[in-house]
Amino acid sequence: MQFRPAQQQDIAAIFAIEQAVFGSAVYPDFFFRQAYDLWPSLLLVAVAGDGTLAGYALGAPANEAGIGWVMSLAVAASQRGQGIGRGLTQALCRQMQAQGVQQLRLTVDPGNHTAVALYRQLGFVLIAQEAEYFGVGEPRLVLQCALADAAC
């Protein structure tokens, strides 16, 4: 598996994974195009040996100095269980740290036990829990990782 910054021609595949993983609550396709322009080193993809996109991660700097966010991370259903989510998270952690980010934050559905376990293994800790983070019926855990101390 290769982890690399996305290229413009990857955007359609990134959006397809976004839709497949998250259903109707997705970033629109044009958002990924703009993210590619805004944060090119923070839009990462995992590429399988046959050249197909297996997953992606998107990070963004916060307004507050030293803080960054994982905006989205998704792995194609057919590619799960191979360490791709871990690899993408670790690659994003390295990119964020290289840009001066000290604390990386993310949100995760508390029912997504696989993702919660992965993030905890990588050094993320709970800093908040919101019952309606993305609206009614959309609870999220807010996790944070000190990149200098992380397993990233």
Side-chain angles (χ1 to χ4, degrees), residues 100-152:
V101 170
Q102 298 159 357
Q103 301 287 333
L104 185 59
R105 296 178 183 164
L106 58 82
T107 63
V108 62
D109 184 330
N112 187 342
H113 303 293
T114 301
V116 172
L118 169 64
Y119 295 136
R120 289 184 188 256
Q121 289 170 4
L122 292 173
F124 285 85
V125 296
L126 181 68
I127 60 168
Q129 185 169 352
E130 293 190 34
E132 297 181 349
Y133 190 93
F134 287 123
V136 176
E138 293 293 336
R140 293 295 182 272
L141 304 176
V142 182
L143 305 179
Q144 180 172 285
C145 181
L147 293 180
D149 302 330
C152 283

Side-chain angles (χ1 to χ4, degrees), residues 1 7-8 36 59 64 68-69 72 75 78 90 96 100 102-103 119 121 123 127 140 150-151:
M1 193 65 53
Q7 299 168 354
Q8 189 171 349
Y36 171 79
E64 184 180 350
W69 282 86
S72 188
V75 176
S78 64
Q90 290 173 321
M96 287 287 206
Q102 298 159 357
Q103 301 287 333
Y119 295 136
Q121 289 170 4
I127 60 168
R140 293 295 182 272

